[in-house]
Amino acid sequence: MKILVLNGPNLNLLGLREPDIYGRQTYSDLERFVESCAKEEGVEIKLFQSNHEGALVDEIQAAYGNFDGIVINPAAYTHTSVAILDALKAVSLPAVEVHLSDVSKREAFRQISYPGMACLKTYMGLGFEGYRQALRFLKAYLEGAKR
Ligand code: CA2
């Protein structure tokens, strides 16, 4: 089972600013955490972070036929990107959205998620743990789909 884990703009700066919202751990810590969760769950993953919308769209397109599912934290593109929404719909792979912070309790402009409209589920406000939950959910979903 192969899952693509995508992270959007500025997540590479994790730990450098706004620790009250995003915590003190760095993007490398997040990569290590997700890798170890994937090992525990027995799933193969590819991690990809980009600050560019088109690069994320390219990666989603390339997932078609190569991955079984997608975990995505689109970061700020959550609230603007119809392009990422369309890419997720186009490849039609089961996808789960993750946010480190609880966006539902933040600014009004964070209340909409375009990519979320093509996702089976959203985990928010759980910090890194949201990625583990998302991998677990996708694994169970994909196993169910095979039966
Ligand atoms: O809570 C999340 O995971 C977000 O996707 C994070 C995004 C934000 O735009 C979304 O509304 C919610 C921001 C990602 C990175 O932001 C940083 C800002 C300062 C320092 C380090 C990271």
Side-chain angles (χ1 to χ4, degrees):
M1 191 177 292
K2 287 176 73 181
I3 295 175
L4 177 63
V5 182
L6 293 175
N7 284 299
N10 299 310
L11 284 164
N12 57 313
L13 298 180
L14 273 181
L16 298 187
R17 283 204 186 91
E18 304 198 65
D20 41 326
I21 302 176
Y22 302 116
R24 289 194 186 278
Q25 288 180 291
T26 65
Y27 187 71
S28 301
D29 294 331
L30 176 61
E31 287 185 316
R32 274 192 291 274
F33 177 82
V34 178
E35 296 281 9
S36 91
C37 295
K39 231 176 229 161
E40 267 169 37
E41 295 299 324
V43 299
E44 202 180 317
I45 59 161
K46 175 185 177 184
L47 275 154
F48 180 81
Q49 188 276 331
S50 179
N51 296 326
H52 305 277
E53 187 176 24
L56 293 163
V57 168
D58 286 345
E59 204 64 25
I60 293 167
Q61 288 187 11
Y64 185 75
N66 293 310
F67 287 88
D68 302 299
I70 297 175
V71 170
I72 183 165
N73 181 347
Y77 289 136
T78 304
H79 319 299
T80 61
S81 184
V82 177
I84 292 175
L85 167 62
D86 285 347
L88 289 171
K89 281 186 169 173
V91 298
S92 194
L93 287 167
V96 177
E97 181 184 23
V98 175
H99 295 289
L100 296 164
S101 65
D102 184 351
V103 283
S104 74
K105 300 213 171 85
R106 298 183 63 192
E107 302 94 324
F109 66 85
R110 295 189 206 270
Q111 300 311 309
I112 187 148
S113 170
Y114 290 100
M117 293 173 195
C119 291
L120 295 167
K121 206 173 166 77
T122 298
Y123 291 95
M124 57 172 83
L126 302 175
F128 286 8
E129 180 61 23
Y131 290 82
R132 188 209 305 274
Q133 299 295 325
L135 285 177
R136 242 181 223 164
F137 174 87
L138 255 187
K139 185 190 172 192
Y141 177 88
L142 289 164
E143 282 172 351
K146 266 191 212 146
R147 277 186 219 125

